[in-house]
Every structure is written in structure tokens, then in C-alpha cells.
């Protein structure tokens, strides 16, 4: 495990499983919840991916990055996809409980955004920062309003992941020899064109810390009578995001409503209204044969769905701040760290005194020229 200066790792024994976390040297374990930040990574990643942000945040905060089950140093326990992402969110709750942290500001990226939404439905949270989050209706298989396209979520789940990528994860492939190598997946899907970093080997290391054991990444698939012939199974990471199992749109009804920060890039190739990893979009683009058309297999409008749910949250009295970064891909905290840091500190009420709440209709839009 490659650790940056000032970052330490340890294992935490919880009442559910053994969890790996990263912390900062010198952080005070008695820091109150309102100055505690917990970071939850995306799929195909681990807590290692947060290290630059951890180093950059003020020293009087307590910052913890948590490895989800089957990723990083956390136990590779199977994921019961029929619970949606509750295995993950319950693990996060158990970790915070073991650390004697009653609540915190939660930051979730991609899959981690779904975990944070589910956590907020089940546990108290001070704020939610959603970075390039999965739609509140899951990944794939839904219309704009969140209704499911088929009764078995055809085209969703573990069957969407290229087997060659899985084999290269097993082989711990760090090469550039194929589009499905983890390094090239990082370059093509995790960040926008033009991004470069001296830490790319560490980001690939984080990807290679993904368990491909049964019940982990990506999960099983089952036959379907609907195009493209398979549907989500019942175990594994990707199946946990199938809409039959995961729907966090009920955050609109939360009371009280913690403030939400939504950070996303306009060049995100993974979570977008035209994601090349979403099956129906691949059909519409001619990448998959025999697509039955938009009536039977409409591409999922992921970003629009997130905006609709957050607008409803705002209309119901919640505070929502949107930071939309022009030309940024799926990893704003890597590509535009200063903007992400500034927005996060604002939503948690840092800078010497609590931040004034944004008006219910306000959104902050940051362009590439900001």
C-alpha cells in the first residue's frame, strides 16, 4: 500500500467485519462530529484515491477514508445485492461506531455517493457531498422519472462488465496494452482527456485492490427474455446498484434535511446522460447489436435524474449546492482539487464559523475559467 506523507492506515474491528481505513497523522480523535469528515470511494477503487484531498484539508479537521467491503484493506465479505448498497452503508455505520463517531460529514464518490445517500436514509448525517454520484435510481434500467424499464432489470448488473477487465484485475495488470487494462480504464473513464499525475501508479494500485471473489466485483448475472438477454443477479457490487434493489429517491422526504453538495464534471464518461457503460446507451450508439429502440430500452439519463431528485429535495426545504465543472471527468477531486476542497469546506461550515446556508434555490456553478 502506497501511503503519502502524513497518511497512516489501520484495521478497525467492527461488529460486522474488519475494515481498513486511512487517517492523518496528528488528527485529534476527540474532534467533534461537526469537524469530522468521512470519505467513501467509488467502485474499482479504494481509500488510497483520497490521499491528496486528505493532505489538503485543514489540520484541525478529523479526516477518515474508509475502504468498502471487497476493496482495499477491508475484508472481502460478499455483497448481498438484494439489499441494494445497505451492506456498504451499514459497514460504514459500524466503522464510525467502532471509532466512537456518532455522526459526521460524509463524502461519497460514484458508488460511494449511493452509499452516502443510503446511509442518510438510515442514520443521522451532518452533510452529504456527492461527487459524480450514481443516480438515486441506480445504474441503468430506468426512465427519466425512475420507473424501471423491465421487471428484471435487463441489461443491468454484473453482466455489464467486460470479462477481460476482470481477468486483468485478477492478474494485477498495470500495463497499457489493452483498452480493458485498469490503467486505460482509469484514463478513459475516471478522468477527462488531458489529465496527468505523478501519482497515476497509486490510482491504479487503488483499482487493483478490488476483490473479484464470488460475491464481490462485479457480481453474477441471470438470463433475461428482454434485450440484451441478461439481467442483474443477486450478489456483487454492480448488482447492488440495479434499480430493483437500489432507490434512494426517498431522501426527498428526510427530516431534518442535511445540506447536500453535488460536485460533477461535464466530461464525465461514466456517470452522464450518455454513459458509454450504460447498456441501453451502448445499444443506441450501435455498440451493441439489435437494440430494440428508445421505447423498449431507453438510455438512462443519470445526471438529469440526479438533478430532478435534488431539485425536489430543494423544493421540500433542503439546501442543495451544485458545483458543475466544465471539462472535468469522473474524478473532480483529482482533476480540480482546489474547487472541490473549497466547496466541501463551505458545505461543512468551515472557515472559522458556520457557513451561511445558501438560499433554497441557489446553485453554485463553477466553470473551467473560475
Amino acid at each position: 500500500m502506497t501511503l503519502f506523507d502524513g497518511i497512516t492506515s489501520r484495521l478497525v474491528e467492527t461488529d460486522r467485519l474488519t475494515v481498513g481505513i486511512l487517517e492523518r497523522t496528528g488528527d485529534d480523535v476527540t474532534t467533534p462530529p461537526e469537524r469530522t469528515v468521512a470519505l467513501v470511494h467509488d467502485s474499482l477503487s479504494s481509500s488510497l484515491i483520497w490521499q491528496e484531498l486528505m493532505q489538503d484539508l485543514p489540520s484541525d479537521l478529523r479526516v477518515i477514508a474508509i475502504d468498502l467491503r471487497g476493496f482495499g484493506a477491508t475484508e472481502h465479505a460478499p455483497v448481498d445485492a438484494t439489499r441494494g448498497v445497505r451492506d456498504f452503508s451499514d459497514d460504514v455505520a459500524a466503522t464510525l461506531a467502532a471509532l466512537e463517531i456518532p455522526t459526521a460529514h460524509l463524502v461519497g464518490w460514484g458508488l460511494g455517493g449511493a452509499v452516502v445517500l443510503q446511509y442518510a436514509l438510515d442514520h443521522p448525517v451532518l452533510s452529504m457531498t456527492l461527487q459524480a454520484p450514481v443516480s438515486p435510481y441506480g445504474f441503468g434500467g430506468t426512465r427519466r422519472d425512475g420507473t424501471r424499464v423491465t421487471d428484471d432489470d435487463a441489461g443491468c448488473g454484473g453482466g455489464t462488465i467486460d470479462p477481460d477487465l476482470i481477468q486483468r484485475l485478477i492478474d494485477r495488470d498495470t500495463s497499457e496494452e489493452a483498452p480493458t487494462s485498469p490503467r486505460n480504464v482509469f484514463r478513459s473513464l475516471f478522468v477527462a482527456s488531458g489529465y496527468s499525475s505523478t501519482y497515476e501508479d497509486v490510482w491504479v494500485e487503488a483499482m487493483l485492490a478490488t476483490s473479484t471473489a464470488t460475491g464481490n466485483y462485479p457480481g453474477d448475472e441471470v438470463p433475461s427474455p428482454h434485450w440484451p438477454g441478461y439481467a442483474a443477479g443477486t450478489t456483487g457490487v454492480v448488482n447492488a446498484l440495479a434499480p430493483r434493489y437500489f432507490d434512494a429517491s426517498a431522501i426527498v422526504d428526510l427530516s431534518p434535511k442535511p445540506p447536500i453538495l453535488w460536485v460533477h464534471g461535464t466530461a464525465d464518461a461514466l456517470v452522464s446522460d450518455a454513459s458509454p457503460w450504460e447498456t441501453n446507451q451502448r445499444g443506441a450508439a450501435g455498440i451493441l447489436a439489435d437494440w430494440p429502440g428508445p421505447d423498449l430500452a431507453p438510455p438512462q439519463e443519470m445526471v438529469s435524474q440526479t438533478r430532478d431528485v435534488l431539485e425536489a429535495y430543494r423544493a421540500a426545504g433542503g439546501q442543495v449546492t451544485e458545483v458543475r465543472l466544465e471539462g472535468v471527468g469522473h474524478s473532480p477531486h483529482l482533476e480540480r482539487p482546489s474547487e472541490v476542497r473549497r466547496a466541501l469546506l463551505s458545505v461543512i461550515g468551515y472557515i472559522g464559523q458556520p457557513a451561511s446556508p445558501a438560499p433554497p434555490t441557489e446553485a453554485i456553478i463553477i466553470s473551467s475559467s473560475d
Side-chain angles (χ1 to χ4, degrees):
M1 183 184 296
T2 303
L3 298 178
F4 293 3
D5 289 345
I7 306 296
T8 63
S9 66
R10 66 175 166 125
L11 297 177
V12 177
E13 298 295 335
T14 78
D15 59 6
R16 292 175 56 80
L17 77 174
T18 302
V19 175
I21 66 170
L22 297 186
E23 298 171 292
R24 303 187 303 181
T25 303
D27 277 8
D28 186 352
V29 297
T30 66
T31 301
E34 57 269 22
R35 287 184 178 260
T36 299
V37 178
L39 307 168
V40 186
H41 62 81
D42 198 357
S43 182
L44 272 182
S45 191
S46 79
S47 59
L48 293 178
I49 203 78
W50 292 115
Q51 292 185 90
E52 284 185 308
L53 180 62
M54 294 176 73
Q55 288 179 319
D56 288 345
L57 289 173
S59 60
D60 57 343
L61 297 177
R62 185 181 184 189
V63 185
I64 300 160
I66 300 172
D67 283 328
L68 298 174
R69 64 169 59 198
F71 297 95
T74 292
E75 187 177 334
H76 293 176
V79 177
D80 179 358
T82 66
R83 302 188 71 230
V85 299
R86 286 185 178 88
D87 274 356
F88 295 127
S89 61
D90 287 351
D91 292 345
V92 171
T95 304
L96 294 180
L99 295 172
E100 299 184 341
I101 300 173
T103 186
H105 299 280
L106 264 61
V107 179
W109 169 44
L111 165 67
V115 174
V116 166
L117 288 171
Q118 186 61 57
Y119 184 100
L121 288 172
D122 299 331
H123 309 280
V125 60
L126 297 177
S127 72
M128 293 182 274
T129 294
L130 309 175
Q131 177 183 258
V134 172
S135 164
Y137 299 115
F139 197 99
T142 56
R143 302 176 182 86
R144 172 74 178 263
D145 63 0
T147 56
R148 292 165 57 205
V149 176
T150 66
D151 58 4
D152 62 354
D153 294 345
C156 298
T160 63
I161 306 302
D162 192 319
D164 192 60
L165 169 60
I166 305 307
Q167 187 59 53
R168 290 176 184 275
L169 291 171
I170 294 170
D171 295 340
R172 297 190 60 80
D173 177 16
T174 61
S175 74
E176 305 175 28
E177 69 179 39
T180 51
S181 74
R183 188 177 301 275
N184 283 332
V185 168
F186 173 81
R187 292 174 178 175
S188 63
L189 289 179
F190 278 45
V191 292
S193 175
Y195 169 84
S196 64
S197 170
T198 58
Y199 299 123
E200 184 180 85
D201 286 347
V202 182
W203 311 151
V204 174
E205 179 185 344
M207 298 177 73
L208 294 175
T210 298
S211 172
T212 56
T214 300
N216 290 133
Y217 188 86
D220 61 336
E221 63 178 278
V222 298
S224 172
H226 308 288
W227 184 87
Y230 66 84
T234 60
T235 63
V237 177
V238 185
N239 290 322
L241 295 172
R244 69 189 299 183
Y245 306 133
F246 174 73
D247 180 348
S249 60
I251 62 163
V252 171
D253 301 319
L254 279 178
S255 181
K257 288 180 167 59
I260 292 177
L261 169 64
W262 177 28
V263 182
H264 62 112
T266 62
D268 191 335
L270 185 59
V271 175
S272 75
D273 281 359
S275 171
W277 268 34
E278 197 270 318
T279 300
N280 292 347
Q281 176 60 41
R282 289 169 67 83
I287 299 171
L288 298 179
D290 302 322
W291 179 57
D295 291 336
L296 296 179
Q300 185 188 18
E301 300 174 79
M302 303 178 188
V303 172
S304 294
Q305 289 178 331
T306 297
R307 179 168 285 111
D308 291 346
V309 171
L310 294 185
E311 287 290 351
Y313 187 89
R314 182 184 285 134
Q319 175 188 334
V320 177
T321 301
E322 177 183 359
V323 175
R324 188 174 65 215
L325 298 166
E326 295 290 338
V328 170
H330 187 60
S331 307
H333 71 291
L334 299 181
E335 300 172 71
R336 298 282 290 279
S338 62
E339 285 91 340
V340 173
R341 177 184 184 275
R342 182 177 66 188
L344 173 59
L345 291 178
S346 177
V347 80
I348 71 174
Y350 189 76
I351 325 249
Q353 59 185 7
S356 300
T361 58
E362 180 180 344
I364 299 174
I365 307 301
I366 300 179
S367 70
S368 58
S369 61
D370 184 90

